[in-house]
Amino acid sequence: MATTDQDKTPGNNGPRHVAIIMDGNGRWATMRGRPRLFGHHAGARRVREIVEACPDLGVKYLTIFAFSTENWKRTQVEVAGLMMLFRRYISKEAKALLAKGVRVRFIGDRVRLDDKLVALMDELELLTSHNDKVHLTIALNYGGRDEVARATKRLAQDVADGRLDPASVDEETLPKYLDTCVLPDPDLVIRTSGEARISNFLLWQSAYAEYEFIDTLWPDFTSEIFADLIEKFGARDRRFGAVKA
Ligand code: IPE
Ligand code: IPE
Ligand code: MG
């Protein structure tokens, strides 16, 4: 579904779509002398509060980075623990998400994920597919470059099959093949934990996003901090390349 320019303009000056790189779980745990997975569990518990804060803040779309295509480089123990956490999170939160009017979607490559997890993801997407209060997108085994590569492969296949004329390809074409095809572009991207990089997150979609890099570690991120960042966004002058008259 293509979005219109109007869709991309947040009402009341707030961001309509916020994307969050939830970073710092490992350091949060290490600071407490605990294993990294302890931090991931604490981080997962934070998500509910932030999702629930969205309607009052005018945030219709929230996209969270849960696991990157590069995170497979971590130890087997951490990766397996994270995969188990994702399964547990989906099973545990499904009811509350449904009741709160949250529509859940997943982006990223499902091919490398285990079947049980993928089944839970499909189930949650289906279960919440009639909700419209908040659109929560969870990026799981997601990488921006991987997403563009997968999109390009499908686009090339359409050209090869005669469904797409190469001469017609413009910057509206590729987004239709991205995992995010039904979502507006993010207005605000937040990264916690003090790292000022985007680590392969929403590369195409964030071309004109505003960024906030904050020192707070993800397990310490509260709805008050979230609200402050939303308010700060309202004061930003988004020019999109133009000059104000
Ligand atoms: C973010 O926290 C969660 C994932 C990447 C899965 P980290 O695990 O990257 O935490 P730090 O950056 O090591 O503190
Ligand atoms: C980005 O965090 C990915 C997620 C938050 C899921 P990382 O901790 O993996 O990023 P780098 O390694 O610091 O760039
Ligand atoms: Mg990190």
Side-chain angles (χ1 to χ4, degrees):
M1 192 181 78
T3 53
T4 63
D5 279 350
Q6 208 181 0
D7 285 337
K8 288 175 188 168
T9 312
N12 63 35
N13 258 358
R16 186 160 179 252
H17 183 177
V18 179
I20 307 182
I21 302 172
M22 308 184 291
D23 196 16
N25 295 346
R27 277 164 283 172
W28 186 90
T30 304
M31 278 164 58
R32 287 161 177 76
R34 304 296 297 267
R36 294 177 58 83
L37 276 165
F38 181 72
H40 294 313
H41 282 266
R45 280 196 297 277
R46 273 281 141 218
V47 173
R48 189 191 275 211
E49 177 181 332
I50 303 311
V51 174
E52 289 181 1
C54 285
D56 284 348
L57 296 171
V59 175
K60 185 89 180 169
Y61 295 87
L62 178 71
T63 299
I64 55 176
F65 204 1
F67 191 88
S68 77
T69 47
E70 287 71 35
N71 287 148
W72 298 104
K73 293 176 195 160
R74 297 185 178 197
T75 64
Q76 205 265 334
V77 169
E78 184 169 352
V79 170
L82 279 164
M83 293 301 150
M84 204 196 301
L85 171 63
F86 298 142
R87 288 209 301 264
R88 202 192 293 178
Y89 175 84
I90 295 173
S91 311
K92 228 179 79 194
E93 294 293 314
K95 248 195 185 158
L97 290 162
L98 179 67
K100 297 271 174 194
V102 181
R103 178 166 185 173
V104 183
R105 294 184 180 87
F106 291 91
I107 55 170
D109 190 1
R110 295 176 193 207
V111 170
R112 201 170 162 183
L113 300 175
D114 82 53
D115 294 346
K116 251 195 242 153
L117 176 58
V118 174
L120 286 167
M121 290 158 64
D122 288 341
E123 228 174 89
L124 185 59
E125 284 189 334
L126 190 66
L127 179 76
T128 61
S129 59
H130 298 293
N131 281 347
D132 186 43
K133 198 164 179 189
V134 180
H135 291 247
L136 172 67
T137 302
I138 304 175
L140 220 170
N141 193 25
Y142 175 87
R145 287 181 171 179
D146 176 69
E147 180 192 31
V148 170
R150 285 186 288 105
T152 307
K153 203 184 283 180
R154 289 201 297 275
L155 188 152
Q157 192 61 54
D158 279 352
V159 169
D161 294 346
R163 284 191 295 268
L164 182 69
D165 174 8
S168 74
V169 174
D170 59 19
E171 59 179 85
E172 305 297 324
T173 314
L174 189 70
K176 293 183 185 141
Y177 290 85
L178 295 174
D179 298 347
T180 52
C181 59
V182 298
L183 306 175
D185 286 342
D187 303 294
L188 172 64
V189 178
I190 297 167
R191 183 175 188 142
T192 57
S193 93
E195 312 294 350
R197 55 176 171 263
I198 59 172
S199 301
N200 205 8
F201 191 43
L202 300 176
L203 296 181
W204 173 283
Q205 300 87 339
S206 299
Y208 264 103
E210 302 289 326
Y211 284 88
E212 283 287 354
F213 298 102
I214 62 162
D215 287 337
T216 310
L217 302 174
W218 175 252
D220 293 328
F221 190 81
T222 60
S223 52
E224 287 78 23
I225 300 172
F226 189 40
D228 284 348
L229 295 175
I230 304 290
E231 194 185 317
K232 208 169 143 202
F233 173 94
R236 291 200 185 201
D237 182 15
R238 302 183 82 195
R239 290 189 285 270
F240 298 100
V243 176
K244 277 227 178 100

